Amino acid sequence: MVLKIFFPQCCNMADSGLLVGRWVPGFDSVVVLAVVHYPFIPGQVKKYLSEMQRECQVDLSVLGSWSIPKDGQEGMDSFLNDLSTIFPQGHWLQLSREVGKRGFVCQVIHRGSVQLEGEEEKEGGDDEKDKVIFVHYNQRKVMLSHLHPAHGQEPGEEGVSELCLVFQTVAQCQPLFFLDKYDDGPIKLTHWQSEGREASILVELVKQASVPVCMVLTWLLSLWNQLMSTRVPNMWPLHFLSSKLSTCVQMSYRTEHLQTISSLKRAQQHGHFMRKANIFVSFLVDIALGLLLISWLYRENRVGRLANTLVPVADVSVCRPPSDTLNKHVAKELQELLEWLMGAPAGLKMNRALDQVLGRFFLYHIHLWISYIHLMSPFIEMILWYVGLSACLGLTFALSVVSDIIALLTFHIYCFYVYGARIYCLKIYGLSSLWRLFRGKKWNVLRQRVDSCSYDLDQLFIGTLLFTILLFLLPTTALYYLVFTLLRLGVVLVQGLIHLTVDFINSFPLFAMGLRVFQSYRLAEGVKFKVLCEEPGMSLHLMMEINPLKSSTVVQLYRTPTYSCYPKDSWWALCKKLFVGELIYPWRHKGFKED
């Protein structure tokens, strides 16, 4: 057989003692975790390993002996070899390191028979199955890293790979590394923390302070959930508005995120821990960006200047200098556009009566909008002043408020689009139904298909008359629909960019990307091996290095699910909706009901 020994780099120069580790089940491999130094009592070593087995849930055992030349310990090798009778194992490893050589000498005892690896094996005529390969690994990196197996295979599943078991063994044996060679006690170990334990007073203080903070936050969130579960928020007007406003949608997401962060239940799985960490870091960055926005907004009276800009943009009666072409009035431009459509736009001959009816109908809505702006203009600055404070809840919350403000300021454009789309859609479906009448067909509502049908002369005459009327009125309606759809798509484009920014902040895995940049070994895609030494008479020594995950894979695996992660309509479906006059909401997924 080819025995693979995964040996930690930190134990290369460890004092002589016993090897502690685990035989990988189902494979001819062994993972060395630590070295127990002399002096020790075998009974205490057995007791300590049994305690570690219960705590780590790993079958730990004494794998063999480790010896290194040292003055005053000439008889140590024979003493350690005799311990194979005290620690009965199916295989007993005897590893030793010679002076001036980088490789190790290994002897494997199989229930009383001794097999030497190296030149002795070759001289004895044993074949390749008796070879030993040493795989050196960085114990700290392997313990802290999470291996992402191929095809979504997770540790613990059937058919798990040998490499996954090695990573799982080192990670689960973290309690074994709490005791090192400098601690007072009967057992002294060498492992990755023997050269200095990693600790941080700030981290410990944060851990102690996080418990009461999470308890208070959980209590506040429970009160909020109780308030939202009452009948008042679920009444028709409030429930309808909350489903349409981006601010309410963002508030629901942040409430869910805070519940995940403030949970006192410890994350047992890697995915759950990464989700909580990503949400926590995203929340902190969101709050920091919001505070920066507040500090910029409330300096130099920027709120007042913003209010003085918004009102003239939406109003038509505020006088501004003729040279100011940047702040053209939206209402005035719409009024001029409607007057252009009511004439002969681009030389097209429209239906005069329908053109005048539609133009005056939309002009009346503009006058209503101007009256609404006049009513709200004294309060715009105060509203913006208080709305700006919402940025203390995060930049995403402030952007959601901006999206809702844009929706309110362009509500008249939305009304024009809805009116034009409904009229255009009605005519399109009417023409398609009458076209089936000419072909002797009809739409079967029950069976949801087109069936043959015979019509009498009166039905054909009325159908021909209606088809002619709708066909000649269609260009006028289509022109109004086209103009207002382009205006609506411009507003949707601005809101879509805001929604994409909010979604990016909510879903981007900042913590995972930070690990990928600063500690790339924490997220492992696989490993690679390179030859350390291949000396005559010594085993083959390989160095195992961790291959980090690609950045695109990190984003794909650890992205926080939001509404943009759901499937949307394709571009072909959107073009089809625009052609037939159906209302479109590009940023909503298919589960949303389009009104």
Side-chain angles (χ1 to χ4, degrees):
M1 68 177 181
V2 178
L3 178 63
K4 293 185 288 294
I5 301 178
F6 291 85
F7 198 85
Q9 282 183 303
C10 54
C11 297
N12 286 342
M13 299 302 297
D15 294 336
S16 300
L18 296 177
L19 298 174
V20 176
R22 178 195 184 190
W23 287 92
V24 180
F27 299 93
D28 295 328
S29 303
V30 59
V31 182
V32 178
L33 298 173
V35 176
V36 180
H37 298 299
Y38 182 83
F40 54 81
I41 300 176
Q44 292 178 342
V45 175
K46 289 183 178 180
K47 181 180 178 181
Y48 177 73
L49 290 181
S50 62
E51 294 176 356
M52 289 295 102
Q53 286 181 0
R54 291 192 299 267
E55 189 171 355
C56 302
Q57 301 296 321
V58 176
D59 187 16
L60 298 176
S61 61
V62 176
L63 305 174
S65 62
W66 163 261
S67 61
I68 189 170
K70 190 174 182 181
D71 296 338
Q73 295 184 358
E74 288 74 10
M76 182 62 65
D77 293 347
S78 60
F79 170 74
L80 294 175
N81 296 337
D82 293 338
L83 292 178
S84 60
T85 58
I86 302 178
F87 300 97
Q89 298 290 338
H91 307 278
W92 182 264
L93 305 179
Q94 294 180 359
L95 305 184
S96 61
R97 186 168 188 175
E98 298 181 1
V99 180
K101 292 187 177 180
R102 298 180 60 186
F104 304 157
V105 175
C106 177
Q107 294 181 353
V108 183
I109 300 178
H110 302 276
R111 297 184 181 275
S113 62
V114 180
Q115 293 183 357
L116 299 178
E117 187 278 329
E119 292 183 347
E120 292 81 358
E121 290 181 345
K122 295 179 182 179
E123 292 175 359
D126 292 339
D127 55 11
E128 186 180 359
K129 68 179 182 179
D130 297 322
K131 289 187 177 180
V132 176
I133 299 176
F134 284 92
V135 180
H136 296 260
Y137 67 96
N138 190 313
Q139 200 171 50
R140 176 179 177 273
K141 291 184 177 181
V142 172
M143 188 195 70
L144 296 178
S145 65
H146 177 77
L147 183 64
H148 298 74
H151 310 294
Q153 187 183 41
E154 292 294 336
E157 296 181 357
E158 294 184 0
V160 67
S161 64
E162 176 185 7
L163 196 60
C164 288
L165 290 176
V166 172
F167 274 71
Q168 180 184 10
T169 300
V170 179
Q172 289 183 346
C173 293
Q174 186 175 1
L176 182 67
F177 306 137
F178 291 159
L179 185 65
D180 60 29
K181 62 182 180 180
Y182 298 106
D183 291 327
D184 295 332
I187 305 297
K188 298 182 181 297
L189 301 175
T190 292
H191 44 72
W192 70 275
Q193 289 199 113
S194 299
E195 300 303 326
R197 292 185 180 179
E198 292 190 351
S200 175
I201 298 178
L202 294 178
V203 173
E204 295 299 327
L205 291 177
V206 169
K207 289 181 180 180
Q208 295 296 328
S210 62
V211 176
V213 172
C214 291
M215 293 179 64
V216 174
L217 188 58
T218 303
W219 179 72
L220 293 176
L221 290 175
S222 63
L223 293 180
W224 174 258
N225 290 331
Q226 291 177 4
L227 177 63
M228 297 303 295
S229 62
T230 58
R231 295 183 59 183
V232 176
N234 294 323
M235 295 178 64
W236 177 77
L238 295 178
H239 182 70
F240 177 80
L241 291 176
S242 63
S243 63
K244 304 303 178 184
L245 295 178
S246 301
T247 307
C248 297
V249 175
Q250 177 62 20
M251 185 180 296
S252 65
Y253 274 110
R254 280 307 182 196
T255 303
E256 181 182 353
H257 293 169
L258 288 176
Q259 289 176 347
T260 303
I261 296 173
S262 61
S263 176
L264 297 178
K265 185 178 179 181
R266 186 175 181 180
Q268 300 294 336
Q269 296 181 355
H270 174 78
H272 189 202
F273 168 76
M274 293 296 295
R275 172 178 167 81
K276 293 181 69 173
N278 286 324
I279 292 175
F280 180 72
V281 175
S282 175
F283 183 76
L284 291 182
V285 173
D286 189 17
I287 295 295
L289 293 177
L291 294 178
L292 289 177
L293 177 62
I294 289 179
S295 64
W296 175 84
L297 193 62
Y298 288 94
R299 286 186 298 181
E300 301 178 3
N301 194 25
R302 288 190 174 93
V303 176
R305 286 189 287 177
L306 182 61
N308 295 332
T309 304
L310 286 178
V311 176
V313 166
D315 199 358
V316 69
S317 61
V318 179
C319 297
R320 299 186 62 86
S323 60
D324 189 0
T325 58
L326 295 178
N327 292 325
K328 292 183 177 181
H329 309 149
V330 175
K332 182 179 179 180
E333 295 298 324
L334 285 176
Q335 186 176 1
E336 293 178 354
L337 178 63
L338 288 173
E339 292 174 354
W340 177 71
L341 291 176
M342 292 172 65
L348 298 176
K349 185 176 181 181
M350 314 300 293
N351 186 280
R352 183 67 178 174
L354 180 61
D355 194 13
Q356 292 294 321
V357 170
L358 292 177
R360 291 176 181 177
F361 176 74
F362 291 129
L363 283 175
Y364 176 72
H365 280 75
I366 293 179
H367 290 302
L368 291 179
W369 176 251
I370 294 173
S371 301
Y372 170 71
I373 292 297
H374 284 169
L375 181 64
M376 295 296 297
S377 58
F379 310 100
I380 290 294
E381 183 175 355
M382 182 179 62
I383 292 174
L384 290 179
W385 196 91
Y386 286 106
V387 165
L389 294 177
S390 64
C392 64
L393 299 177
L395 180 63
T396 56
F397 199 86
L399 291 177
S400 300
V401 174
V402 171
S403 177
D404 292 334
I405 291 177
I406 293 176
L408 292 176
L409 292 178
T410 59
F411 184 70
H412 52 313
I413 296 179
Y414 174 74
C415 292
F416 295 164
Y417 164 70
V418 171
Y419 296 152
R422 291 306 187 192
I423 297 174
Y424 176 78
C425 182
L426 179 62
K427 290 189 177 182
I428 289 295
Y429 279 100
L431 289 173
S432 63
S433 179
L434 293 174
W435 177 252
R436 287 193 294 266
L437 182 142
F438 297 150
R439 296 184 295 129
K441 305 288 184 179
K442 72 171 183 178
W443 175 254
N444 193 326
V445 180
L446 296 178
R447 297 180 179 271
Q448 294 293 311
R449 67 183 185 186
V450 177
D451 294 335
S452 300
C453 180
S454 60
Y455 297 96
D456 54 22
L457 187 61
D458 294 338
Q459 292 175 330
L460 293 175
F461 174 76
I462 295 176
T464 304
L465 182 62
L466 292 176
F467 182 84
T468 305
I469 294 174
L470 292 179
L471 183 62
F472 282 99
L473 293 180
L474 181 63
T476 304
T477 306
L479 181 62
Y480 277 87
Y481 169 70
L482 176 62
V483 171
F484 294 133
T485 299
L486 293 177
L487 293 176
R488 174 60 182 168
L489 289 178
V491 177
V492 167
L493 178 62
V494 176
Q495 288 185 291
L497 293 177
I498 295 176
H499 290 172
L500 287 177
T501 305
V502 173
D503 179 70
F504 177 80
I505 299 175
N506 286 334
S507 62
F508 189 75
L510 289 174
F511 180 78
M513 287 303 299
L515 291 181
R516 175 61 181 83
V517 173
F518 299 103
Q519 295 181 344
S520 58
Y521 60 87
R522 295 288 296 272
L523 304 176
E525 184 179 25
V527 297
K528 60 183 178 181
F529 300 93
K530 67 177 183 179
V531 178
L532 280 182
C533 67
E534 194 174 4
E535 300 176 353
M538 297 294 177
S539 304
L540 175 62
H541 288 257
L542 303 176
M543 181 62 195
M544 184 177 71
E545 297 180 351
I546 296 177
N547 285 330
L549 279 176
K550 298 179 180 179
S551 299
S552 58
T553 308
V554 172
V555 175
Q556 181 181 1
L557 289 177
Y558 296 106
R559 184 180 181 183
T560 305
T562 58
Y563 52 83
S564 69
C565 298
Y566 295 96
K568 306 180 183 65
D569 292 326
S570 61
W571 287 104
W572 169 251
L574 289 176
C575 294
K576 182 180 179 181
K577 286 184 178 182
L578 288 174
F579 180 77
V580 299
E582 295 184 13
L583 301 182
I584 56 171
Y585 301 95
W587 61 86
R588 293 186 178 178
H589 61 83
K590 296 181 179 180
F592 275 70
K593 181 180 179 181
E594 297 184 1
D595 298 323

